[in-house]
């Protein structure tokens, strides 16, 4: 059991690192966007490549950030019947859910491979003159992002497995009565989570 | 009934079943979509998915979301909420219900500046709830006020709901920002009136702050502080909103300026550091990617549901409905309201709204007005249990002596007030459409 936990910790550590690097894309987006705006309004100039870079930065924030977001904020669940089930039933539902998540994410990853391949084989690039080339790199973020999410989901599945096998914690260690929403996984409500 | 329509209905049923037993919302969407889509079409459907998902992440309109989130999270780091609450608490404290009104006003200002529901409620909950309880405020009323004020950020522009709705309804972001401004302010005014009335009818629920406590800070000092903490962020947001609504800059452009400006505002407040910047980028990534995850899974479901002719199903449903287009809109509002109990605004806007869109278009309904109605309606989804984010955030920071039932009871009047606002907007579309028309969108 300790070994499984160590593996899960390792996977989480990896995803956290990748997420921390990805985070800078958000700042880069702010800078690139602001730079383009200032250039346009003050010098009446700008480049197509820099403008395309704007949404080329959006894709990594979304796709590479997926695993990081789920690592820290967890999956969102609704407590309609869940709260009334026994502890063990809840943990089994969690485990089944996570296994399904692995399947879905793995499927999305595999499905996106031919999509990238096609883009690569036809040498897809920006239709605008002066635009960015090698569109396949951007599209490759789909399988890479889902691959990272798969790694995160495997980690979460391992933890869900441990929770099923291990005896339930003493009652006082259980979280206070939930309020309908159960953020699974390691996170607690953080002030910055939100919409 | 054709085979595919049966599958479409089954996909909805399976979605709610899996949701009810506690499976993650995103997973239930993806699984219902994949399974019933596969039964209906086989692998053809799956081959469309990558392009659809890529389309979501490469959507130009949605770039405004991380930019506005960055601005909000960054401004939040300047502790604007704490300072504002302090000042407004002192200014409004003398009135019965004044503290409540103060919270609502802070909610309006934070809604415009940070606009992040979770952060606003957590901050307001931490600062004001213990203070209100110490002053013998009625606990459910205090909880309800905090939750409702926190959700104002969703209707008061700039807001992520409006950006997503602009994309779905094919309207410009600027138009919807302009359209949501007065409905948002109207809702806030309704909340304030409720507090005033409560102060008159049931003063014991909302006692004023004692004079001795208020006199710890002089008038002049107070106004000075108000100007110092409130002015920079409010000026920034007015500049951003003004340039969008005034048509000077595209929303994404203005948002990037706002994000850059937020760094300056925080630097001015002396709270900027590299770690603040790092935290802000990470929060921005988490919030944006978390939304995108739901959008991606919703895309899987939506693709399958539409492929299975679910749209025709919805269309038929509306044909049974007596009355004209108005009863259709009311019915749509009812469905959105009910769904708000169980799922988030993102799924509702992304899956449900497109299904109604053809009916609205066929009847030449003003989509700007409808967008404002939907945005106002979706705000209730934050307050309705069992799945209301506002309740969840407040629960996470409320003292243990506050029961979950207190929070539930507290939001009920505010949900009703939101329905009142919705009724006003339904009967007087000008509230939403006046400003966009006046500035010539």
């Amino acid at each position: 059991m300790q070994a499984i936990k160590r593996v899960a910790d390792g996977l989480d550590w990896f995803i956290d690192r990748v997420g921390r690097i990805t985070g800078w894309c958000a700042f880069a987006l702010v800078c690139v966007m602001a730079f383009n705006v200032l250039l346009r309004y003050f010098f009446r100039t700008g480049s197509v490549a820099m403008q395309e870079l704007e949404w080329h930065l959006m894709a990594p924030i979304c796709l590479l950030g997926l695993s990081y977001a789920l690592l820290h904020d967890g999956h969102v669940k609704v407590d309609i019947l869940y709260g009334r089930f026994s502890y063990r039933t809840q943990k089994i539902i969690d485990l089944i859910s996570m296994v399904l998540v692995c399947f879905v994410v793995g499927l999305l990853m595999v499905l996106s491979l031919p999509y990238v391949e096609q883009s690569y084989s036809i040498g897809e690039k920006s239709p605008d003159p002066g635009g960015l080339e090698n569109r396949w790199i951007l599209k490759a973020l789909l399988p890479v992002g889902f691959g990272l999410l798969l790694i995160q989901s495997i980690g979460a599945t391992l933890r869900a497995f441990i929770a099923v096998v291990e005896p339930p914690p003493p009652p006082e260690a259980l979280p206070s009565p939930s309020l309908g929403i159960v953020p699974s996984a390691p996170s607690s409500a953080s002030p910055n989570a939100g919409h | 009934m054709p085979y595919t329509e049966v599958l479409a209905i089954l996909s909805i049923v399976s979605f709610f079943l899996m949701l009810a037993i506690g499976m993650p919302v995103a997973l239930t969407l993806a699984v219902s979509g994949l399974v019933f889509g596969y039964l209906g079409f086989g692998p053809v459907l799956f081959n469309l998915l990558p392009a659809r998902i890529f389309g979501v992440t490469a959507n130009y309109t949605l770039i405004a979301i991380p930019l506005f989130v960055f601005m909000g999270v960054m401004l939040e780091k300047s502790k604007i909420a704490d300072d504002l609450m302090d000042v407004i608490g002192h200014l409004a404290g003398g009135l019965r219900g004044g503290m409540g009104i103060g919270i609502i006003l802070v909610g309006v200002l934070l809604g415009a500046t940070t606009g992040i529901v979770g952060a606003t409620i957590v901050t307001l909950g931490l600062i004001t709830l213990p203070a209100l309880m110490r002053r013998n405020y009625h606990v459910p009323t205090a909880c309800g006020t905090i939750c409702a004020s926190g959700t104002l950020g969703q209707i008061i522009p700039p807001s992520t709901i409006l950006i997503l709705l602009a994309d779905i309804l094919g309207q410009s972001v600027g138009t919807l920002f302009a359209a949501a401004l007065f409905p948002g302010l109207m809702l806030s005014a309704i909340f304030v009136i409720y507090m005033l009335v409560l102060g008159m009818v049931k003063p014991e629920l909302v006692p004023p702050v004692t004079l001795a406590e208020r006199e710890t800070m002089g008038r002049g000092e107070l106004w000075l502080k108000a100007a110092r903490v409130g002015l920079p962020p409010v000026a920034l947001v007015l500049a951003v909103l003004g340039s969008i609504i005034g048509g000077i800059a595209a929303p994404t452009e203005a948002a990037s300026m706002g994000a850059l400006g937020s760094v300056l505002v925080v630097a001015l407040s002396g709270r900027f550091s590299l770690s603040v910047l790092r935290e802000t980028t990470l929060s921005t990534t988490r919030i944006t990617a978390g939304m995108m995850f739901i959008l991606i899974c919703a895309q899987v479901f939506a693709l399958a549901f539409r492929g299975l002719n679910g749209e025709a199903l919805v269309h038929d449903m509306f044909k049974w409905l007596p009355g004209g287009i108005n009863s259709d809109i009311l019915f749509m509002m009812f469905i959105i309201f009910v769904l708000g109990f169980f799922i988030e605004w993102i799924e509702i806007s992304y899956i449900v709204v497109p299904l109604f869109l053809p009916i609205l278009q066929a009847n030449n309904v003003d989509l700007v007005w409808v967008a404002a109605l939907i945005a106002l309606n979706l705000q209730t989804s934050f307050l309705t249990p069992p799945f209301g984010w506002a309740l969840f955030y407040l629960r996470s920071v409320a003292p243990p002596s506050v029961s979950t039932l207190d929070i539930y009871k507290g939001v009920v009047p505010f949900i009703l007030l939101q329905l009142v606002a919705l009724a006003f907007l339904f009967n007087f579309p000008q509230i939403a459409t006046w400003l966009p028309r006046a500035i010539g969108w």
Side-chain angles (χ1 to χ4, degrees):
Chain A
M1 211 46 62
Q2 278 308 309
I4 298 178
K5 198 173 172 314
R6 267 201 300 278
V7 173
D9 286 344
L11 296 178
D12 286 359
W13 177 85
F14 174 69
I15 295 299
D16 190 63
R17 288 291 111 182
V18 176
R20 283 174 175 275
I21 299 166
T22 307
W24 289 108
C25 287
F27 186 58
L29 175 64
V30 170
C31 294
V32 168
M33 195 87 204
F35 178 77
N36 287 347
V37 173
L38 293 176
L39 218 57
R40 181 153 3 126
Y41 280 84
F42 290 105
F43 301 100
R44 311 223 161 263
T45 171
S47 85
V48 176
M50 278 299 275
Q51 275 179 34
E52 287 191 348
L53 194 57
E54 290 165 4
W55 57 269
H56 279 63
L57 281 166
M58 178 72 178
I61 295 172
C62 303
L63 291 167
L64 301 183
L66 285 182
S67 47
Y68 183 75
L70 286 170
L71 176 70
H72 287 281
D73 299 329
H75 283 271
V76 175
K77 294 187 248 173
V78 183
D79 184 354
I80 302 171
L81 299 173
Y82 185 81
R84 291 181 207 160
F85 295 149
S86 71
Y87 176 82
R88 218 182 138 66
T89 313
Q90 290 182 352
K91 294 300 147 190
I92 291 174
I93 291 176
D94 289 348
L95 180 59
I96 295 171
S97 302
M98 283 323 299
V99 171
L100 279 174
V101 169
C102 288
F103 270 109
V104 169
V105 172
L107 179 69
L108 291 177
M109 182 178 80
V110 173
L111 284 175
S112 54
L113 284 173
Y115 183 64
V116 181
E117 220 170 304
Q118 191 200 8
S119 171
Y120 179 76
S121 64
I122 60 168
E124 190 188 0
K125 60 177 184 179
S126 167
D128 299 313
L132 295 171
E133 301 197 352
N134 294 320
R135 175 82 34 107
W136 67 273
I137 298 178
L138 188 65
K139 292 191 168 174
L141 290 174
L142 281 174
V144 173
F146 288 126
L148 288 169
L149 189 53
L150 183 60
I151 293 173
Q152 190 272 330
S153 308
I154 290 171
T157 310
L158 293 178
R159 288 187 199 283
F161 174 72
I162 294 173
V164 169
V165 179
E166 278 188 346
E172 66 267 24
L174 286 171
S176 55
S178 74
L179 217 157
I181 308 155
V182 198
S184 67
S187 78
S188 57
S190 103
N192 285 326
H195 302 267
Chain B
M1 191 182 273
Y3 173 58
T4 53
E5 292 191 6
V6 176
L7 288 177
I9 292 173
L10 284 178
S11 71
I12 301 179
V13 173
S14 84
F15 168 71
F16 277 105
L17 277 182
M18 286 194 283
L19 197 67
I21 63 166
M23 288 187 161
V25 180
L27 174 72
T28 55
L29 280 172
V31 168
S32 317
L34 287 171
V35 169
F36 292 98
Y38 186 80
L39 289 177
F41 305 99
V44 186
L45 181 78
F46 294 170
N47 298 334
L48 288 172
L49 267 180
R52 288 300 193 95
I53 295 172
F54 183 73
V56 174
T57 63
N59 184 319
Y60 191 80
T61 312
L62 300 188
I63 296 181
I65 291 176
L67 295 170
F68 277 123
V69 170
F70 184 97
M71 177 176 94
V73 175
M74 187 51 107
L75 285 179
E76 202 246 316
K77 302 273 184 231
S78 72
K79 300 265 178 250
I80 166 187
D82 306 45
D83 292 346
L84 276 180
M85 199 57 235
D86 193 26
V87 172
I88 296 188
H90 273 88
L91 288 177
L95 214 61
R96 277 180 299 198
M99 284 294 285
I101 295 172
I103 293 174
I104 295 164
L105 293 181
V106 171
V108 173
L109 288 173
L110 291 182
T113 49
T114 70
I116 297 171
V117 171
T120 306
I121 289 172
V122 165
T123 318
L124 285 179
L126 282 174
I127 318 168
T128 63
L129 192 53
L132 290 173
M133 288 166 70
R134 221 174 29 244
R135 293 180 182 121
N136 295 321
Y137 248 68
H138 181 230
V139 175
T141 304
C143 293
T145 313
I146 293 171
C147 287
S149 306
T151 61
L152 286 173
Q154 287 298 344
I155 180 84
I156 294 175
S159 94
T160 44
I161 284 189
L162 297 171
I163 298 172
L164 199 61
L165 280 178
D167 189 47
I168 293 163
L169 296 172
Q171 302 294 315
S172 87
V173 175
T175 314
L176 293 202
F177 277 7
L181 190 61
F182 281 110
L185 293 178
M186 173 185 70
L187 181 64
S188 317
I190 291 177
F191 286 172
V192 168
I193 293 169
Y194 170 70
M195 273 293 148
L196 287 173
V197 171
L198 211 57
M200 281 186 275
V201 182
K202 292 199 166 162
E204 70 280 5
L205 298 186
V206 285
V209 180
T210 56
L211 196 64
E213 199 176 339
R214 276 184 292 130
E215 278 179 345
T216 49
M217 205 190 265
R219 275 280 143 142
E221 196 189 341
L222 208 55
W223 282 111
L224 205 68
K225 189 171 177 190
R228 197 166 45 81
V229 300
L231 226 45
V234 171
L236 176 68
V237 172
L238 285 182
V240 170
L241 278 181
S243 56
I244 296 173
I245 295 177
I248 301 167
T252 33
E253 294 176 338
S256 73
M257 289 291 112
L260 207 62
S262 69
V263 176
L264 283 179
V265 168
V266 176
L268 276 178
S269 77
R271 288 181 168 116
F272 186 78
S273 69
L274 193 64
S275 74
V276 164
L277 181 63
R278 192 170 55 226
E279 280 167 35
T280 306
T281 59
L282 287 178
S283 298
T284 306
T285 307
R286 269 165 63 177
I287 294 172
T288 310
M291 267 184 71
M292 285 300 160
F293 180 62
I294 308 255
L295 283 189
I296 289 172
C297 293
Q299 185 63 257
V300 177
F301 184 84
L303 187 65
F305 190 73
R306 300 187 110 183
L308 292 169
N309 239 347
E311 222 159 282
L313 215 60
V314 175
H315 211 99
D316 291 346
M317 199 164 68
F318 274 90
K319 256 191 254 163
W320 286 343
L321 217 62
I325 182 68
N326 272 351
S327 71
D328 288 352
I329 295 175
L330 280 177
F331 183 62
M332 175 175 104
M333 287 294 133
F334 176 72
I335 290 186
I336 291 177
F337 178 74
V338 172
L339 282 175
F341 282 78
F342 307 106
I343 52 180
E344 262 184 282
W345 65 271
I346 308 179
E347 295 93 325
I348 299 177
S349 2
Y350 215 63
I351 299 176
V352 183
V353 175
L355 292 175
F356 296 136
L357 191 56
I359 299 160
L360 299 172
Q361 279 168 333
N363 287 285
N364 280 324
V365 178
D366 187 346
L367 290 179
V368 174
W369 170 57
V370 170
L373 278 175
I374 293 173
L376 203 55
N377 193 346
L378 283 175
Q379 226 196 317
T380 57
S381 75
F382 283 84
L383 295 178
T384 44
F387 190 98
W389 278 113
L391 316 171
F392 171 59
Y393 287 124
L394 187 63
R395 174 72 279 173
S396 69
V397 293
S401 64
V402 175
S403 76
T404 299
L405 200 62
D406 284 336
I407 303 180
Y408 280 3
K409 273 196 225 153
V411 292
V412 172
F414 288 94
I415 295 172
L416 296 177
L417 291 174
Q418 290 192 330
L419 292 179
V420 170
L422 206 52
F424 270 122
L425 185 57
F426 185 80
N427 285 308
F428 305 102
Q430 308 89 295
I431 301 170
T433 55
W434 177 79
L435 184 59
R437 286 220 184 106
I439 52 181
W441 279 93

